[in-house]
Amino acid sequence: MGDMANNSVAYSGVKNSLKEANHDGDFGITLAELRALMELRSTDALRKIQESYGDVYGICTKLKTSPNEGLSGNPADLERREAVFGKNFIPPKKPKTFLQLVWEALQDVTLIILEIAAIVSLGLSFYQPPEGDNALCGEVSVGEEEGEGETGWIEGAAILLSVVCVVLVTAFNDWSKEKQFRGLQSRIEQEQKFTVIRGGQVIQIPVADITVGDIAQVKYGDLLPADGILIQGNDLKIDESSLTGESDHVKKSLDKDPLLLSGTHVMEGSGRMVVTAVGVNSQTGIIFTLLGAGGEEEEKKDEKKKEKKSLLMSAITVIILVLYFVIDTFWVQKRPWLAECTPIYIQYFVKFFIIGVTVLVVAVPEGLPLAVTISLAYSVKKMMKDNNLVRHLDACETMGNATAICSDKTGTLTMNRMTVVQAYINEKHYKKVPEPEAIPPNILSYLVTGISVNCAYTSKILPPEKEGGLPRHVGNKTECALLGLLLDLKRDYQDVRNEIPEEALYKVYTFNSVRKSMSTVLKNSDGSYRIFSKGASEIILKKCFKILSANGEAKVFRPRDRDDIVKTVIEPMASEGLRTICLAFRDFPAGEPEPEWDNENDIVTGLTCIAVVGIEDPVRPEVPDAIKKCQRAGITVRMVTGDNINTARAIATKCGILHPGEDFLCLEGKDFNRRIRNEKGEIEQERIDKIWPKLRVLARSSPTDKHTLVKGIIDSTVSDQRQVVAVTGDGTNDGPALKKADVGFAMGIAGTDVAKEASDIILTDDNFTSIVKAVMWGRNVYDSISKFLQFQLTVNVVAVIVAFTGACITQDSPLKAVQMLWVNLIMDTLASLALATEPPTESLLLRKPYGRNKPLISRTMMKNILGHAFYQLVVVFTLLFAGEKFFDIDSGRNAPLHAPPSEHYTIVFNTFVLMQLFNEINARKIHGERNVFEGIFNNAIFCTIVLGTFVVQIIIVQFGGKPFSCSELSIEQWLWSIFLGMGTLLWGQLISTIPTSRLKFLKEAGHGTQKEEIPEEELAEDVEEIDHAERELRRGQILWFRGLNRIQTQIRVVNAFRSSLYEGLEKPESRSSIHNFMTHPEFRIEDSEPHIPLIDDTDAEDDAPTKRNSSPPPSPNKNNNAVDSGIHLTIEMNKSATSSSPGSPLHSLETSL
């Protein structure tokens, strides 16, 4: 409908302008007619153009544009065109509003349960039982009658309030994340420019400014931004697979198929087109408009899965607490159930319910996806400053594990500022550009015409932007070097081009990576033809049968002479790192029949060599240093180039890719292909495996060689770690290699649109050093996530154990619901902000890449987590069971329902939070460094958050009162809390003194294979601790057991996180990065034999069968055999690339539990 409306507006616009007798100057063609025309294909379109408009020039006339001069560029005219034909902009899908995000955050199951519980608690708190029955109804604080009714509601209200806080924080995070991505998208869109002709000048304008009637120049590698009709084309081939799905390239010409469609890629050739449809009226726009409707149904499915699992967990917790209460009250104490006491019992049940849920809230590390997202988003934003424009978030993190970089030479390692410095003309080798007088006039005229005509007309040299600067090179840099040679010879190429405009060229064989040459045919007035060729010297020289001699005459050029030139001219040039280009021509006399132009091999042969020139492209000064950093960081740099092998070797040595005396390989493309293929010509992986570890330079390589090499390295199993390969590319034909690589870098300046589309990161300055920055950021992301995990898991272990033990022994969690939510806020949101925004340091480049199978939790981290958890548990339990004696205050244990908050429990809560705060500083280092304060002031966010949390904690304790279940503490009690909190810093020093290698039992967490055993140790240790305290509570044990399950769940989260992390990296197509990282690990149930469902998940890489058939581990659960017949769950790590589907949305962390 929207389109119809637009059309009618356009129609009425045209009608009105007709009435006004051309005041506006109406267009002789309407939007609807143009749309109808662009929907036709090849011959139908041609017929329609001929019937309705005569030819393309007829359409240009109706659109009031000149095929050669383009539009005038007058702003009023451009505005009118936009009003009639629309703007070249496809509106994106509407972003979610803040309220929608709030609503989404509210969908979290735990929060919903909490809200319900809080509301029930609120309702019941206003009920008061009749006098006198209180004694029968169990212990209820009878305090002052009126006081109780007034304060009972506070807990419910406080929980509701904290839920609101959590929701707002989550929504705000999502909103800012969305905003950043939108910003990134628009940044990518603004980067794209296109060449048009306006007022006779060739200019580059942003794609959004293109309007109907513009004359656009299309060239090899462009992504067409609008629909158009070809005015003039050379050998133009288009890849229309994005619209039609046909992979064959479509030849475009004026007499067969002149329609060019937006969103298609130019694979070969060049030309000019008149733009006929833009924005939503172009072919891509029409498709986008149709797509706008879909995309809502996906998300709902995941939500449902998530709900079941979480609900199950919290339900069991609550049931156990309720059972314990019922048995204790009605069976042990033998009390009757009185009707009037029901609401009081329900209040008890609600209280248990809330405890169960708060434990769940703390047990699930939902901060993990948040930390991942914040860390990635933060890095992406900062990487912009380091000239890395990240298109796919996960690429940034993959880059940290890169083990190999395959880099182009031109423009990445070199400056892409080419100049001709040597030449072989009239049989002399000039070491610097000769004076024009030294060259015979006829050779000079061949040279001038050949270079002027046989370089793309889009390549030119413009005056410098500022005084004293270098002239600006526009277009192909090699061609600019040749044009620069003409300027050095005091000749002007523009005069020749004015004499022979582009339309006058008879035929052009444009440059592509297969030909490695370009040829242009001119038709002379007497009916004869002359063809000029230029290209890679060894390729063109093979086709030369004559050469222009010292006196300017052509003489015979034998293979022996050719070998001489290669030895004496080309090899010396190449060994100095120069790119050698040969220039040649051929005449077809007038009398002969016209040659078969499509048969290129017969045309471009029998040439006469004019000259060989050596073009220098200096190495970027900062590259050797960057490459040294890469090598120190354990990354192999390989150069893949289309240049001659000697040139490549010389540049590679200058860069430091090759070191003299090392054992390395430099191969040419054909040599490489010969070695990796068997007799049948098929590529064999084991043959590639023999070559790639030593290969450093691949020269004269085609794009397919690049793709083969990348694929070979990625699929190789020679080394213990699977290689992670980054590739740089700029050409259209680099697309496949960029897509295949783990991380594809496209060049922002020299890169074609096709390469940018296929890439993950765009280097906005085309500089190799930016890749090193990307490695640094990638490693930093990985470390940030590890820091966060180390912090989070410590808090989780402690909070869950404390809440459970407390609940089992005292029927009341020492940490109240609201306090738990506050701890959760510190743990998840704030800690992820603080720890995920650490800036990277150079020291990240001093270690080797982690590799694919490294566990997220290293042995050192495991040691830290267990060590700190131990310290914190000892402190909390000491305070819980002996704190009242130590501080000489009333005990807070076994307090009746609605009792006012006790100082005792407030001290426990306060110390617990302060320990987390100081432990956050410990968590800044994960490799066992001593100085945890190093560089702390470089991270303003971290300091702000730690100080802010501390201030809020003071406010909560001193003024939180009933809602936070806190009572004011004295200065002395505060100092003790802070002292115990700071103890974690000292304890941290103690832990880092213990060498990790001594802790044999931590071994398993340290390497990738059996990384699950360690948590069993941790669990056994905890079980001991609890068994002493509660031998008699058999029910408590079951509860406990749930607690263990929670911890197990966390370790599963980490594993799921890891497996999907790596699985996402296995196959770049799936890109199921850690970003959408919840790929559901499938749970497989084995009923074959009873297993204790502790952490016994065998990893996919283990030899699972042997492990599974061994005898079950002894149950730590001695006196509750019912539980022993657990079901053994193994996590299937979907290692196969095929099944690695991109996972559900970010929040569904619980799905991976």
Side-chain angles (χ1 to χ4, degrees):
M1 274 311 294
D3 293 339
M4 295 301 290
N6 288 352
N7 292 355
S8 58
V9 170
Y11 280 131
S12 61
V14 172
K15 283 182 200 134
N16 295 349
S17 51
L18 281 171
K19 282 179 209 151
E20 287 166 20
N22 289 352
H23 280 317
D24 286 355
D26 67 294
F27 302 104
I29 186 167
T30 64
L31 179 66
E33 286 166 34
L34 284 172
R35 261 182 78 154
L37 172 62
M38 293 318 287
E39 275 163 14
L40 299 171
R41 291 289 173 265
S42 54
T43 44
D44 304 345
L46 258 177
R47 201 173 313 119
K48 173 86 172 123
I49 293 175
Q50 284 158 358
E51 284 167 13
S52 309
Y53 312 106
D55 57 8
V56 182
Y57 295 104
I59 294 180
C60 288
T61 316
K62 292 197 177 223
L63 286 173
K64 299 198 166 25
T65 180
S66 144
N68 294 329
E69 302 282 313
L71 296 177
S72 62
N74 163 8
D77 175 48
L78 296 177
E79 270 172 37
R80 202 176 71 250
R81 286 174 189 273
E82 269 181 22
V84 177
F85 297 110
K87 194 169 165 44
N88 195 18
F89 172 72
I90 297 171
K93 271 173 73 174
K94 280 200 177 70
K96 288 179 176 157
T97 61
F98 188 68
L99 286 175
Q100 279 171 305
L101 292 169
V102 168
W103 178 243
E104 275 178 19
L106 276 170
Q107 307 301 308
D108 188 6
V109 185
T110 38
L111 290 180
I112 293 174
I113 296 173
L114 267 182
E115 286 156 28
I116 296 170
I119 292 165
V120 174
S121 161
L122 257 179
L124 289 172
S125 65
F126 294 118
Y127 169 83
Q128 290 191 341
E131 301 284 317
D133 296 337
N134 286 345
L136 297 171
C137 298
E139 303 165 9
V140 176
S141 156
V142 186
E144 306 82 56
E145 271 310 298
E146 68 283 0
E148 176 212 324
E150 282 169 19
T151 54
W153 60 273
I154 289 183
E155 184 172 31
I159 292 177
L160 281 180
L161 198 70
S162 26
V163 166
V164 169
C165 275
V166 171
V167 166
L168 286 177
V169 169
T170 317
F172 177 74
N173 269 321
D174 288 348
W175 177 77
S176 55
K177 189 172 78 197
E178 176 125 334
K179 194 165 136 248
Q180 269 179 344
F181 287 140
R182 296 249 162 205
L184 185 66
Q185 272 318 104
S186 62
R187 166 84 194 261
I188 291 175
E189 281 157 19
Q190 286 159 12
E191 294 277 310
Q192 201 190 351
K193 291 208 162 48
F194 208 76
T195 315
V196 298
I197 303 175
R198 282 195 182 165
Q201 293 295 316
V202 179
I203 55 170
Q204 285 210 322
I205 59 171
V207 168
D209 296 350
I210 294 177
T211 177
V212 171
D214 260 321
I215 305 295
Q217 290 198 341
V218 295
K219 59 179 189 309
Y220 153 85
D222 282 343
L223 169 67
L224 297 181
D227 295 355
I229 301 175
L230 197 62
I231 299 178
Q232 174 263 322
N234 305 322
D235 199 12
L236 197 61
K237 289 194 184 131
I238 306 277
D239 171 11
E240 292 189 349
S241 57
S242 57
L243 285 180
T244 60
E246 296 293 323
S247 56
D248 294 343
H249 297 170
V250 186
K251 275 192 94 148
K252 296 286 180 183
S253 59
L254 289 168
D255 49 357
K256 288 204 184 67
D257 180 1
L259 295 195
L260 300 175
L261 304 175
S262 62
T264 58
H265 292 126
V266 183
M267 299 313 273
E268 249 183 68
S270 62
R272 287 208 316 274
M273 70 170 190
V274 56
V275 176
T276 54
V278 293
V280 286
N281 301 307
S282 66
Q283 292 302 301
T284 311
I286 293 169
I287 292 174
F288 265 105
T289 322
L290 294 174
L291 285 180
E296 293 302 311
E297 289 74 39
E298 297 294 300
E299 296 172 8
K300 290 177 188 151
K301 293 178 194 157
D302 296 317
E303 287 292 318
K304 293 216 173 82
K305 279 187 189 163
K306 186 169 104 180
E307 283 169 24
K308 285 184 195 150
K309 291 180 181 163
S310 310
L311 273 171
L312 185 79
M313 287 169 66
S314 51
I316 291 170
T317 312
V318 177
I319 289 168
I320 287 160
L321 271 167
V322 169
L323 275 179
Y324 178 80
F325 171 75
V326 170
I327 289 168
D328 183 59
T329 310
F330 301 118
W331 193 38
V332 181
Q333 301 180 17
K334 307 255 189 314
R335 290 196 178 158
W337 178 294
L338 300 172
E340 56 270 31
C341 289
T342 310
I344 290 199
Y345 294 143
I346 291 178
Q347 279 186 4
Y348 265 109
F349 294 160
V350 168
K351 177 176 147 188
F352 296 146
F353 190 67
I354 291 175
I355 291 172
V357 176
T358 45
V359 167
L360 169 72
V361 169
V362 178
V364 176
E366 64 267 19
L368 197 53
L370 187 63
V372 171
T373 314
I374 289 180
S375 183
L376 285 172
Y378 169 77
S379 304
V380 166
K381 206 166 148 191
K382 292 283 191 222
M383 281 168 81
M384 288 256 203
K385 294 199 178 81
D386 286 340
N387 302 310
N388 282 298
L389 182 64
V390 181
R391 292 181 69 242
H392 298 138
L393 261 195
D394 50 321
C396 150
E397 187 259 355
T398 313
M399 209 43 220
N401 277 330
T403 54
I405 298 175
C406 296
S407 171
D408 278 356
K409 173 178 78 73
T410 310
T412 316
L413 300 171
T414 60
M415 290 166 75
N416 206 4
R417 171 91 209 174
M418 307 220 183
T419 39
V420 174
V421 288
Q422 296 188 19
Y424 177 80
I425 306 180
N426 59 22
E427 299 188 291
K428 275 201 204 70
H429 183 177
Y430 295 97
K431 290 286 185 183
K432 58 180 201 293
V433 177
E435 293 297 315
E437 293 75 47
I439 304 172
N442 66 333
I443 297 188
L444 194 55
S445 84
Y446 282 129
L447 201 59
V448 173
T449 316
I451 291 177
S452 306
V453 173
N454 191 29
C455 283
Y457 278 37
T458 48
S459 300
K460 43 182 161 309
I461 296 181
L462 302 180
E465 276 175 350
K466 48 180 184 287
E467 281 296 306
L470 292 166
R472 281 182 301 157
H473 287 182
V474 180
N476 181 309
K477 300 296 188 273
T478 311
E479 294 184 338
C480 288
L482 294 171
L483 297 175
L485 171 67
L486 294 188
L487 298 179
D488 291 344
L489 293 171
K490 320 273 190 296
R491 297 291 183 273
D492 187 6
Y493 64 90
Q494 201 52 54
D495 298 345
V496 180
R497 288 184 174 181
N498 295 344
E499 202 176 303
I500 310 174
E502 200 169 2
E503 297 75 65
L505 305 179
Y506 190 76
K507 173 140 185 79
V508 179
Y509 302 94
T510 50
F511 179 89
N512 68 22
S513 53
V514 182
R515 296 190 180 116
K516 292 209 187 302
S517 68
M518 171 176 174
S519 311
T520 302
V521 183
L522 298 177
K523 185 173 185 179
N524 302 327
S525 47
D526 61 356
S528 63
Y529 298 94
R530 173 171 289 170
I531 180 169
F532 285 104
S533 265
K534 71 168 193 302
S537 50
E538 58 266 47
I539 292 173
I540 298 282
L541 279 177
K542 282 202 181 85
K543 299 178 177 174
C544 288
F545 293 1
K546 294 183 178 168
I547 187 166
L548 294 177
S549 63
N551 57 4
E553 301 297 311
K555 65 170 200 181
V556 180
F557 184 59
R558 285 184 295 276
R560 199 177 63 236
D561 304 331
R562 185 169 67 231
D563 297 342
D564 279 350
I565 286 194
V566 168
K567 277 208 182 60
T568 58
V569 179
I570 293 176
E571 283 183 1
M573 280 187 188
S575 60
E576 290 175 40
L578 303 184
R579 168 182 280 194
T580 53
I581 300 282
C582 177
L583 304 163
F585 76 100
R586 175 184 179 185
D587 283 326
F588 295 92
E592 297 177 8
E594 184 166 344
E596 180 63 51
W597 295 115
D598 284 340
N599 190 347
E600 192 187 331
N601 293 344
D602 294 352
I603 304 285
V604 187
T605 184
L607 304 173
T608 304
C609 172
I610 307 172
V612 175
V613 295
I615 296 179
E616 180 185 46
D617 183 8
V619 171
R620 287 176 183 266
E622 62 276 23
V623 161
D625 192 39
I627 287 181
K628 203 180 277 135
K629 279 183 189 162
C630 280
Q631 289 162 342
R632 200 170 53 216
I635 302 169
T636 312
V637 183
R638 296 184 172 83
M639 181 202 285
V640 181
T641 174
D643 248 342
N644 161 327
I645 189 154
N646 298 326
T647 311
R649 192 182 281 126
I651 299 263
T653 314
K654 280 183 192 165
C655 291
I657 293 177
L658 300 179
H659 297 291
E662 271 187 9
D663 181 20
F664 55 74
L665 280 175
C666 289
L667 293 180
E668 281 199 342
K670 51 178 194 293
D671 201 15
F672 174 69
N673 273 306
R674 205 184 58 242
R675 292 198 190 191
I676 61 171
R677 291 173 193 273
N678 58 18
E679 296 69 53
K680 296 184 196 146
E682 296 158 347
I683 296 172
E684 285 186 3
Q685 183 64 41
E686 46 270 26
R687 288 176 184 244
I688 298 183
D689 287 346
K690 287 193 187 113
I691 293 177
W692 74 258
K694 287 189 177 174
L695 183 70
R696 290 294 175 273
V697 174
L698 185 58
R700 281 277 176 254
S701 69
S702 69
T704 36
D705 297 338
K706 195 176 197 175
H707 181 255
T708 310
L709 176 66
V710 171
K711 185 175 183 306
I713 297 180
I714 288 179
D715 295 346
S716 167
T717 49
V718 183
S719 51
D720 16 340
Q721 301 283 8
R722 132 120 153 78
Q723 296 279 312
V724 180
V725 185
V727 170
T728 68
D730 51 8
T732 306
N733 39 32
D734 289 330
L738 287 170
K739 268 209 165 2
K740 176 68 192 168
D742 295 298
V743 183
F745 286 93
M747 301 298 148
I749 304 170
T752 56
D753 298 340
V754 182
K756 289 179 191 174
E757 280 293 299
S759 71
D760 303 297
I761 299 180
I762 297 174
L763 294 177
T764 49
D765 62 345
D766 288 16
N767 194 337
F768 186 83
T769 43
S770 305
I771 300 178
V772 183
K773 297 255 178 59
V775 173
M776 207 155 83
W777 277 106
R779 293 186 172 190
N780 192 48
V781 168
Y782 194 94
D783 278 7
S784 295
I785 293 165
S786 297
K787 286 173 192 177
F788 174 72
L789 261 179
Q790 175 174 311
F791 175 70
Q792 169 112 45
L793 290 179
T794 313
V795 186
N796 277 19
V797 170
V798 177
V800 171
I801 292 174
V802 169
F804 269 107
T805 321
C808 296
I809 298 175
T810 65
Q811 273 192 45
D812 185 8
S813 165
L815 298 174
K816 299 291 179 292
V818 184
Q819 296 174 354
M820 283 283 207
L821 284 172
W822 166 235
V823 169
N824 206 39
L825 194 70
I826 301 178
M827 272 182 1
D828 288 347
T829 315
L830 300 177
S832 55
L833 255 178
L835 291 169
T837 52
E838 287 271 311
T841 55
E842 286 279 333
S843 61
L844 287 167
L845 292 175
L846 298 177
R847 61 171 172 74
K848 299 277 175 275
Y850 280 139
R852 291 262 148 141
N853 335 9
K854 169 179 180 304
L856 253 180
I857 302 185
S858 65
R859 285 172 55 194
T860 315
M861 286 168 63
M862 207 69 226
K863 178 182 75 175
N864 290 343
I865 292 172
L866 291 186
H868 285 297
F870 175 72
Y871 171 81
Q872 294 186 12
L873 284 172
V874 169
V875 171
V876 171
F877 282 132
T878 312
L879 286 175
L880 192 57
F881 295 117
E884 73 272 23
K885 300 190 189 74
F886 181 76
F887 285 111
D888 191 22
I889 47 180
D890 297 333
S891 165
R893 290 194 303 282
N894 298 328
L897 201 59
H898 295 320
S902 64
E903 286 183 21
H904 181 194
Y905 272 23
T906 307
I907 291 175
V908 174
F909 163 63
N910 197 23
T911 310
F912 178 72
V913 170
L914 290 175
M915 286 195 296
Q916 304 324 324
L917 267 188
F918 286 106
N919 196 31
E920 202 164 335
I921 299 175
N922 274 329
R924 288 183 68 244
K925 300 289 180 221
I926 48 174
H927 299 299
E929 295 92 329
R930 282 265 174 198
N931 181 4
V932 289
F933 292 103
E934 182 193 356
I936 194 164
F937 295 114
N938 296 346
N939 186 355
I941 300 180
F942 183 86
C943 300
T944 318
I945 286 178
V946 171
L947 287 172
T949 314
F950 186 59
V951 172
V952 175
Q953 177 65 15
I954 294 176
I955 295 170
I956 288 178
V957 171
Q958 295 305 93
F959 310 105
K962 186 80 193 184
F964 279 97
S965 314
C966 287
S967 80
E968 291 182 37
L969 297 181
S970 67
I971 290 285
E972 185 194 359
Q973 290 163 338
W974 262 103
L975 288 173
W976 273 109
S977 301
I978 291 174
F979 169 71
L980 290 169
M982 289 184 78
T984 53
L985 291 176
L986 301 171
W987 183 254
Q989 292 302 314
L990 189 71
I991 293 178
S992 55
T993 317
I994 306 171
T996 315
S997 50
R998 283 289 170 78
L999 302 174
K1000 284 287 181 281
F1001 67 92
L1002 283 179
K1003 264 244 165 50
E1004 283 68 27
H1007 46 79
T1009 42
Q1010 317 114 311
K1011 51 196 167 284
E1012 272 78 27
E1013 270 132 65
I1014 164 58
E1016 239 164 82
E1017 292 285 347
E1018 162 195 341
L1019 296 177
E1021 191 179 302
D1022 297 340
V1023 171
E1024 300 279 284
E1025 204 166 301
I1026 302 230
D1027 273 3
H1028 295 312
E1030 33 171 310
R1031 293 267 170 204
E1032 73 289 358
L1033 284 178
R1034 298 181 59 181
R1035 296 280 167 195
Q1037 294 243 316
I1038 300 179
L1039 232 187
W1040 221 138
F1041 185 55
R1042 294 292 146 207
L1044 296 188
N1045 254 359
R1046 292 279 147 60
I1047 296 173
Q1048 179 184 358
T1049 306
Q1050 298 185 355
I1051 284 142
R1052 281 216 189 112
V1053 174
V1054 173
N1055 286 337
F1057 172 82
R1058 274 198 28 249
S1059 74
S1060 60
L1061 179 91
Y1062 291 127
E1063 159 196 321
L1065 302 181
E1066 291 294 290
K1067 181 180 175 204
E1069 289 78 12
S1070 73
R1071 280 291 131 89
S1072 66
S1073 60
I1074 51 180
H1075 190 61
N1076 21 11
F1077 72 88
M1078 313 319 165
T1079 27
H1080 316 300
E1082 297 157 12
F1083 287 104
R1084 193 170 71 221
I1085 296 188
E1086 301 266 333
D1087 295 317
S1088 52
E1089 55 180 76
H1091 258 291
I1092 196 75
L1094 279 183
I1095 301 173
D1096 201 305
D1097 311 339
T1098 49
D1099 197 10
E1101 293 112 307
D1102 285 351
D1103 33 9
T1106 54
K1107 206 163 173 185
R1108 216 171 280 142
N1109 302 337
S1110 59
S1111 62
S1115 158
N1117 210 346
K1118 311 230 175 14
N1119 41 6
N1120 196 349
N1121 300 324
V1123 187
D1124 273 7
S1125 55
I1127 293 167
H1128 178 52
L1129 297 173
T1130 58
I1131 290 193
E1132 289 286 305
M1133 306 271 186
N1134 297 354
K1135 278 287 183 278
S1136 67
T1138 44
S1139 61
S1140 66
S1141 61
S1144 54
L1146 251 185
H1147 290 297
S1148 56
L1149 179 76
E1150 291 102 297
T1151 2
S1152 51
L1153 306 187

